[in-house]
Amino acid sequence: MEGVDSWLETIKGCKCLPEKQFKMLCTMAKDILIEEPNLHPVQLPVIICGDIHGQFHDLMELFKKGGEMPTKNYIFMGDYVDRGYYSLETMQLLLCLKVRYPDKITLLRGNHESRQVTGTYGFYDEIIHKYGNANPYQYCMEVFDCLGISAIVDGNIFCVHAGLSPSIRTVDQINGIERRVEVPSSGPLCDLVWSDPEEIEGWALNQRGAGWLFGKAPTEEFLHLNDLTLIARSHQIAQEGYKYMFDNKLVIVWSAPNYCYRMGNKATIMEVLSDNPEPKFIKFDSVSSLDKVTDFRKAVPYFLQMLFTSMI
């Protein structure tokens, strides 16, 4: 692992790997990820993290607050790229950590880990700018297709990027999903990375145009059928970094502080210990600001155009 340790030192300095090394990293990561199930079992203690969205310096702050690997165990619930200016460095750091400590970090897929979304919201353009060609983008997309869909912590906490699906009643059904594909526009894989909780009783169409809105009743039914106590998800900004819904049966965890360098929100990570099942929320503020980051997309208006639209 000497080579991977060297890569980690490079990336922690907010520098991208040379393309040849990045290709090697992606190949190593794919070999590990593809062996993991769609529903990844994780033991306590663990730290559960929400969206990162290319805010590399804030990701480094997250590890300072939560603790470094391999002393800590992490679950990241997707949306590593787009929006922020350092999606490539963010992804390379997380993949290096996965290769170096495969049993200490679980990487789930979000709706932004797809070709359709990254082609529009910044990641593709960032790679072209930093590497001068699209080959590294293809390496990343192949990795995204291997990412897990969900995790279950100590048999009690269900972790997923977005939410539930009317096609999925039991967690065992998740392992039957074919995940080595581009995220489709409908169906259970789409729902798990796109759906949102809403203060309704049942199911409703989602204004995002993908996934569903699901209410208290589907949440309680899913927990009951699977003998679970809590659903942890991200996918939507929470101004205080986290937000409980449905009588504390679902929690939104958001880990990108001052989202898009202008929202002013807090970020949290959720720590669950072996001797205390009550989640502990560790808050942190952004260490990034627009005067400290390099904006390679000054001429690309879509970065903030869609900030208040449905595609979080």
Side-chain angles (χ1 to χ4, degrees):
M1 286 298 176
E2 183 177 344
V4 178
D5 288 336
S6 175
W7 295 349
L8 273 170
E9 289 306 308
T10 297
I11 298 165
K12 286 180 178 180
C14 200
K15 296 179 181 179
C16 294
L17 296 176
E19 183 178 336
K20 183 178 179 180
Q21 295 178 358
F22 183 37
K23 184 177 182 180
M24 292 173 58
L25 173 61
C26 288
T27 299
M28 296 166 73
K30 284 191 298 180
D31 289 343
I32 294 169
L33 291 166
I34 200 60
E35 295 299 322
E36 296 180 346
N38 291 351
L39 178 68
H40 192 62
V42 178
Q43 299 301 311
L44 295 176
V46 68
I47 295 174
I48 300 170
C49 309
D51 290 23
I52 304 298
H53 280 299
Q55 295 182 202
F56 175 83
H57 300 90
D58 296 323
L59 175 60
M60 296 295 288
E61 181 70 9
L62 181 156
F63 284 121
K64 288 181 182 178
K65 295 294 185 181
E68 298 289 341
M69 280 182 282
T71 59
K72 294 297 180 77
N73 187 18
Y74 283 88
I75 297 173
F76 285 85
M77 297 189 292
D79 278 14
Y80 314 109
V81 301
D82 291 334
R83 306 292 194 183
Y85 298 134
Y86 298 100
S87 293
L88 190 54
E89 292 84 350
T90 295
M91 201 66 232
Q92 290 186 357
L93 176 61
L94 293 172
L95 291 181
C96 260
L97 291 171
K98 182 63 180 178
V99 170
R100 184 65 178 86
Y101 309 110
D103 297 328
K104 291 293 183 178
I105 180 170
T106 300
L107 300 176
L108 303 182
R109 192 174 193 174
N111 61 304
H112 277 260
E113 279 70 62
S114 67
R115 294 158 183 81
Q116 181 180 9
V117 178
T118 54
T120 302
Y121 290 92
F123 189 45
Y124 176 83
D125 287 342
E126 179 179 337
I127 287 179
I128 295 297
H129 175 82
K130 292 178 178 178
Y131 281 113
N133 70 86
N135 290 333
Y137 180 76
Q138 298 304 323
Y139 309 152
C140 282
M141 296 305 107
E142 292 174 5
V143 172
F144 290 170
D145 289 345
C146 295
L147 291 171
I149 301 172
S150 59
I152 189 161
V153 178
D154 201 39
N156 291 313
I157 303 174
F158 177 70
C159 299
V160 68
H161 176 67
L164 302 181
S165 169
S167 302
I168 300 293
R169 299 194 71 209
T170 68
V171 292
D172 290 339
Q173 291 177 273
I174 295 174
N175 279 327
I177 297 173
E178 173 54 58
R179 79 172 192 258
R180 291 193 64 182
V181 296
E182 169 70 350
V183 175
S185 58
S186 62
L189 177 56
C190 170
D191 298 341
L192 293 170
V193 302
W194 277 102
S195 293
D196 294 297
E198 185 61 72
E199 295 296 343
I200 56 177
E201 277 303 307
W203 299 90
L205 293 177
N206 195 330
Q207 63 182 4
R208 295 177 187 264
W212 294 83
L213 299 177
F214 61 96
K216 184 178 180 181
T219 299
E220 291 179 337
E221 179 184 31
F222 184 81
L223 292 173
H224 175 72
L225 288 174
N226 295 284
D227 196 23
L228 299 168
T229 59
L230 181 67
I231 295 171
R233 50 92 68 178
S234 189
H235 195 47
Q236 287 175 302
I237 188 171
Q239 199 64 28
E240 293 302 314
Y242 74 98
K243 179 184 177 182
Y244 275 111
M245 296 181 68
F246 308 143
D247 298 327
N248 292 355
K249 291 181 174 62
L250 179 146
V251 64
I252 300 169
V253 181
W254 184 263
S255 302
N258 193 30
Y259 180 45
C260 287
Y261 314 108
R262 62 173 289 173
M263 292 296 288
N265 60 284
K266 300 284 186 181
T268 64
I269 51 180
M270 186 176 86
E271 184 173 29
V272 188
L273 302 174
S274 303
D275 57 356
N276 184 3
E278 189 67 26
K280 173 186 176 184
F281 295 93
I282 302 171
K283 288 190 177 185
F284 62 101
D285 293 312
S286 179
V287 296
S288 302
S289 62
L290 283 176
D291 61 347
K292 293 180 180 179
V293 299
T294 302
D295 181 4
F296 64 90
R297 290 171 287 178
K298 289 180 179 178
V300 184
Y302 65 68
F303 175 60
L304 291 178
Q305 274 184 355
M306 299 296 289
L307 179 59
F308 299 105
T309 66
S310 60
M311 278 197 176
I312 297 294

